[in-house]
Amino acid sequence: EAQVTQNPRYLITVTGKKLTVTCSQNMNHEYMSWYRQDPGLGLRQIYYSMNVEVTDKGDVPEGYKVSRKEKRNFPLILESPSPNQTSLYFCASNPLGAGANVLTFGAGSRLTVL
Amino acid sequence: AQSVTQPDIHITVSEGASLELRCNYSYGATPYLFWYVQSPGQGLQLLLKYFSGDTLVQGIKGFEAEFKRSQSSFNLRKPSVHWSDAAEYFCAVGFLYGGATNKLIFGTGTLLAVQP
């Protein structure tokens, strides 16, 4: 089944403890991106990647890092999480060519930073 | 700056009634427009999309949307709502870069409640 898989789905952590949210897609998509969803704000893009080793900031990149060492994986790294990063996170992917304009989203990762 | 506005934060309709969710966008060129639905505790599911051509687009679950350039709107409609339609609905504008969508700008969402 074509899908975007995120892990963990739920995580409670404490301020300053580094964490990584993994994202993997099995569709051989070139583009991948991360969004965070907050009440009253909708979804906002954190980072995106156009291909392996090509990443760029989205609208709210502060406090986050990403890497794209393999085409299928696009982990989101919080080096020193803070409570304002408590949010619901979505990873998405889309291809070049046919279907290039439609994103496939993962199921989401709910992160709580105490 | 590009933006998407969903003026209705919360809407309640009776089952079987018609539905229209409003979406207005601000974008300099012809936009790529989307409606997504998010059921409680779930991810985002694409309902429909508009890229070009016929301004009335059909989607899944009996939804349709109409692109009106003069009003910068892309309102979502359904003639008869079912209880299972209760969810949060997001309108989004897509941006192209390097031959594909590299970013979606989302509205703040409309939460739909359905009364029996």
Side-chain angles (χ1 to χ4, degrees):
Chain A
E1 180 188 355
Q3 59 185 357
V4 176
T5 303
Q6 300 177 224
N7 281 296
R9 294 288 314 282
Y10 301 91
L11 179 63
I12 301 173
T13 190
V14 295
T15 299
K17 186 176 181 181
K18 180 180 179 180
L19 68 91
T20 299
V21 186
T22 64
C23 174
S24 181
Q25 50 96 2
N26 62 0
M27 297 166 281
N28 202 36
H29 286 173
E30 286 78 10
Y31 279 66
M32 297 186 74
S33 50
W34 277 101
Y35 292 79
R36 61 177 288 172
Q37 181 181 9
D38 301 292
L41 297 176
L43 286 86
R44 296 172 294 167
Q45 190 186 61
I46 303 170
Y47 268 95
Y48 70 95
S49 168
M50 294 171 63
N51 216 322
V52 175
E53 303 292 358
V54 181
T55 63
D56 207 347
K57 296 177 181 178
D59 295 318
V60 288
E62 295 77 18
Y64 304 95
K65 285 176 57 177
V66 293
S67 68
R68 187 94 181 271
K69 295 183 170 58
E70 304 167 281
K71 196 172 186 178
R72 64 183 291 124
N73 296 323
F74 190 45
L76 180 69
I77 303 158
L78 286 73
E79 293 273 3
S80 183
S82 62
N84 65 12
Q85 293 178 298
T86 292
S87 189
L88 178 58
Y89 292 87
F90 288 99
C91 181
S93 73
N94 56 301
L96 284 170
N101 300 317
V102 180
L103 277 63
T104 299
F105 283 87
S109 296
R110 184 167 294 280
L111 171 65
T112 301
V113 183
L114 301 175
Chain B
Q2 298 89 351
S3 65
V4 177
T5 302
Q6 292 181 247
D8 303 306
I9 297 173
H10 188 271
I11 284 181
T12 300
V13 300
S14 298
E15 191 168 16
S18 63
L19 171 71
E20 182 169 27
L21 302 182
R22 296 182 291 166
C23 174
N24 293 95
Y25 65 90
S26 173
Y27 185 60
T30 299
Y32 292 83
L33 295 162
F34 305 82
W35 274 99
Y36 284 85
V37 60
Q38 184 179 31
S39 298
Q42 302 297 312
L44 291 159
Q45 183 179 23
L46 179 67
L47 281 177
L48 47 77
K49 59 187 183 292
Y50 172 78
F51 295 158
S52 64
D54 193 345
T55 56
L56 183 64
V57 294
Q58 302 297 320
I60 62 171
K61 303 185 180 187
F63 285 92
E64 66 178 26
E66 186 172 13
F67 170 59
K68 293 186 178 180
R69 185 187 303 276
S70 62
Q71 298 177 19
S72 297
S73 69
F74 189 56
N75 294 348
L76 182 71
R77 301 193 294 248
K78 186 170 186 178
S80 178
V81 170
H82 187 262
W83 64 266
S84 61
D85 293 324
E88 190 159 23
Y89 292 80
F90 292 95
C91 181
V93 170
F95 293 82
L96 284 185
Y97 184 74
T101 299
N102 75 316
K103 181 167 75 173
L104 292 176
I105 298 288
F106 285 85
T108 52
T110 298
L111 187 62
L112 173 66
V114 180
Q115 287 181 333

